[in-house]
Amino acid sequence: MMTTKVSLLDESHHTTLNDFETLKRLDDLYAFYHKQWWCRRQMFYRFKRFNALFNGMALLIMALSLVVGSVWKKKSFAMIGLTAFATLIKGWSDFKKYSFKMDICRFAYTTYEKTLIELRNHTRMGIDERNMNTFLTKMQTLDDTITDFSPPIDERYIHEYERKFRHSPIQ
């Protein structure tokens, strides 16, 4: 399997930074946030699939119960059973909070995507120590918020990331 190189500097991105330590620090942050971005994006798509699947199943079964109830005019236990089953599926989806998990994972991966862009901008335009500390404080706050509200990253996404991507440190 082919791996993709992850680096702050690639063919299309150049730097004006002369401080190698700051550049290395930004590159390490880029690798870390790239992994966060990719894993959170995979989680978002997983929760989106689950949410769509369960809501679609509930709607389909509910529609089927309406058709069954219309065709069989007598007291239909099939209709009652289908309606109860659809309600159970919708209740399970609501209990698992897939829509909330989907929304918070979207917030997380778009935040990390913006962070990757910001890191590249700092590399291109330069960053002083005060701005670096401000950036790190902001990222700590965002990381804490994401950690508090979102589910933890599943180990399988980390293993899949490590199979697909390889960080090439700046030397």
Side-chain angles (χ1 to χ4, degrees):
M1 176 183 232
M2 188 164 176
T3 60
T4 303
K5 176 181 154 185
V6 174
S7 179
L8 180 62
L9 297 177
D10 58 15
E11 295 80 32
S12 63
H13 294 89
H14 305 287
T15 184
T16 59
L17 282 174
N18 294 326
D19 182 12
F20 180 74
E21 289 302 317
T22 302
L23 189 58
K24 177 133 179 60
R25 195 170 171 192
L26 289 173
D27 185 53
D28 291 341
L29 286 169
Y30 187 86
F32 173 77
Y33 285 118
H34 187 272
K35 180 187 272 188
Q36 294 293 315
W37 164 76
W38 190 86
C39 291
R40 296 294 180 176
R41 192 175 68 158
Q42 298 307 309
M43 290 173 62
F44 164 75
Y45 287 124
R46 178 176 171 230
F47 293 133
K48 186 176 181 178
R49 279 190 304 273
F50 281 151
N51 192 45
L53 175 72
F54 285 121
N55 284 335
M57 281 177 44
L59 287 172
L60 184 65
I61 294 170
M62 190 64 76
L64 182 63
S65 75
L66 290 173
V67 170
V68 167
S70 299
V71 172
W72 294 341
K73 303 261 183 197
K74 300 176 184 172
K75 290 183 181 176
S76 172
F77 289 112
M79 184 187 94
I80 294 168
L82 287 171
T83 303
F85 185 58
T87 305
L88 179 71
I89 290 173
K90 180 62 178 155
W92 178 255
S93 179
D94 291 346
F95 172 74
K96 294 300 276 183
K97 298 182 181 179
Y98 289 123
S99 62
F100 176 75
K101 290 176 182 177
M102 185 179 73
D103 290 341
I104 198 68
C105 285
R106 180 187 300 123
F107 168 75
Y109 94 79
T110 57
T111 299
Y112 290 136
E113 188 171 29
K114 292 172 188 170
T115 300
L116 296 175
I117 293 167
E118 191 173 349
L119 285 167
R120 285 231 160 113
N121 285 338
H122 287 317
T123 303
R124 189 171 41 254
M125 307 304 255
I127 186 170
D128 59 16
E129 191 63 34
R130 186 177 63 81
N131 287 338
M132 177 66 108
N133 289 336
T134 302
F135 172 76
L136 292 174
T137 302
K138 177 183 82 169
M139 290 313 302
Q140 181 65 47
T141 303
L142 286 170
D143 286 339
D144 289 345
T145 302
I146 290 168
T147 300
D148 288 346
F149 288 109
S150 68
I153 295 174
D154 196 324
E155 286 294 317
R156 75 179 138 166
Y157 295 125
I158 294 171
H159 293 304
E160 190 176 337
Y161 179 87
E162 290 168 352
R163 279 195 318 266
K164 290 185 175 196
F165 298 97
R166 174 181 49 86
H167 177 233
S168 296
I170 294 175
Q171 301 194 3

